[in-house]
Amino acid sequence: MIELVNITKSYDGKINVIENLNLKINKGEIVVLIGESGCGKTTTLRMINRLNEPTGGTIMIDGEDYTKMSKIELRRQLGYVIQKVGLMPHLTVGKNIEIIPELKGWDKQKRKDRAYELLNVVDLPPEEYYDRYPHELSGGQQQRIGVARALAVNPDIILMDEPFSALDPVTREQLQKELLRLQDDLGKTIVFVTHDMDEALKIGDKIAVMKDGKILQYDTPEEILKNPANDFVEYFVGKDRLWKSPEMLRAEDIMHKTLVTIGQKRTPAQVIEVMKEKDMEFIFIVEKETSKPQPPIGYITRDNLRKQGSNNVKMADICNREFITIQHDAKMTDVLKIMEDKSARNLPVLDDDGNLIGMITTASILNLITKAVVGEEESQ
Ligand SMILES: Nc1ncnc2c1ncn2[C@@H]1O[C@H](COP(=O)(O)OP(=O)(O)O)[C@@H](O)[C@H]1O
Ligand SMILES: [Mg+2]
């Protein structure tokens, strides 16, 4: 675990470019630092690497104050990837990857084996690329070498400063996917700097939104999207982004929350009245009509009621008791799949105690699409 405690940084002894910054990064997590240019992302990363020393505060790595570790040793334990890859132009790809292993005194064969292994990891066949020079590679390939180099001595922690921002969108997306795959396979702790919210949401386990040397919010992508801590975070995230990120959405985010239900002892005539008044085609039956959510007993449609000859029955006797439900925290993909598989046009949403708290209808889905395409303001 990396822990930044009350970190302050001033370059000129007057202005703090980092102000009382606290950040805990758990083992195996990808943490993204995001914010506008000049907010202190690179400074923060470089302090973790000890390329910059904090003016105040401490940094702990696995509980140990890192100022007590040797700088050189520390830096070799960390992999570092920057935007401008920084490959040595006069060295081959292989030699570039082997720089730190060589500093560490690995013998020639061990270094070469490792370089071959890593070229395979970043999907560049070693037979073809080991002896090439950096200028013979595309930007995306160079960046892959940068990643391979950072992994060379198998560091637990990898620091990445806008590593993909100079790449075209297609290559960039490819490398983002590969980073996630690498992370799955190798389980590194990664601190990743970007100014691109799409990138942050895609790869971060957690995101720290920074402004003026402070962290405004440190949370999961889902929380940042759904509960931005303040106006700046909301602005920075973009109001409509939640609706454009279906993988972040849960059943409860899109359901209709104002739900009219009816008690099981009601008669058909009474229920028809309610449904007419509210313009409903179907209604859910619960035990009692209270303001507290209750488990659904069944549902009835207007058609069912019209065909009901007698008014001398209760809803409990005539309602349909077979229906599909969905949990409030189900992912949108599951919601859509169920609606598709079961041809369900209406999906009651249940809380953890099995109470009915909302309804997803085809209209909710349509509303969602509208928000994603048109934006939130216009669709409300
Ligand atoms: N070596 C330096 N000397 C003086 N000021 C610096 C230095 N590096 C960065 N700064 C200043 O510190 C602030 C944060 O910069 P930086 O960490 O590079 O931000 P970011 O990476 O978020 O764009 C900026 O105001 C920048 O001008
Ligand atoms: Mg920077």
Side-chain angles (χ1 to χ4, degrees), residues 11 17 36-43:
Y11 286 104
V17 296
E36 288 169 342
S37 180
C39 70
K41 307 181 292 294
T42 296
T43 302

Side-chain angles (χ1 to χ4, degrees), residues 19 54 122 128 140 169 266 269 286 301 343 362:
E19 185 79 59
V122 296
E128 198 176 324
R266 295 280 202 145
V286 294
T301 66
S343 307
T362 38

